[in-house]
Amino acid sequence: MLKQNPRSIKFYEPKFDESYEVGRRKVRNKKDGESSKLKYKVKKETKGAIRELRKDNAFLAHQQLTEQLERDAERKKRVQEIFSSLQAQQAEEKKERRRKH
């Protein structure tokens, strides 16, 4: 058997664009460029609007929670007042019963 030498890989010269600028997109024609700019603006505005809606919802949720906590505290205070008045009445009633007996 004869030994064959391995074939070498063909190398090609890479194509470089001399006018390439980092961060700049290649625009084929003016119409496509304008449409891509408008799409980018719409996307950016949409994201901004969504962010604002999230902030508004968080603010409203915080406000509602604060109002609910205030109402709960007021209700708890009223219930406590009612209980204390009932306890006072019950104490007086027991005093009266002891006096009679």
Side-chain angles (χ1 to χ4, degrees), residues 12-20:
Y12 295 104
E13 288 294 320
K15 293 181 182 177
F16 289 106
D17 188 9
E18 297 297 327
S19 63
Y20 179 75

Side-chain angles (χ1 to χ4, degrees), residues 20-25:
Y20 179 75
E21 293 180 31
V22 176
R24 300 280 295 184
R25 295 184 199 155

Side-chain angles (χ1 to χ4, degrees), residues 47-59:
K47 284 184 178 181
I50 290 170
R51 189 179 309 115
E52 287 298 318
L53 286 173
R54 284 187 182 136
K55 283 183 184 178
D56 290 346
N57 283 338
F59 176 76

Side-chain angles (χ1 to χ4, degrees), residues 34-51:
E34 288 176 10
S35 98
S36 66
K37 277 185 185 179
L38 289 175
K39 284 179 186 176
Y40 177 75
K41 281 186 178 181
V42 166
K43 189 175 180 181
K44 193 173 181 181
E45 289 294 323
T46 304
K47 284 184 178 181
I50 290 170
R51 189 179 309 115

Side-chain angles (χ1 to χ4, degrees), residues 52-84:
E52 287 298 318
L53 286 173
R54 284 187 182 136
K55 283 183 184 178
D56 290 346
N57 283 338
F59 176 76
L60 289 175
H62 181 70
Q63 288 293 96
Q64 287 175 352
L65 179 65
T66 305
E67 289 173 3
Q68 183 66 38
L69 290 174
E70 287 174 0
R71 285 194 301 263
D72 289 349
E74 190 173 322
R75 184 171 182 268
K76 189 174 182 181
K77 184 180 174 184
R78 278 188 270 142
V79 168
Q80 190 66 33
E81 288 173 2
I82 292 170
F83 272 120
S84 64

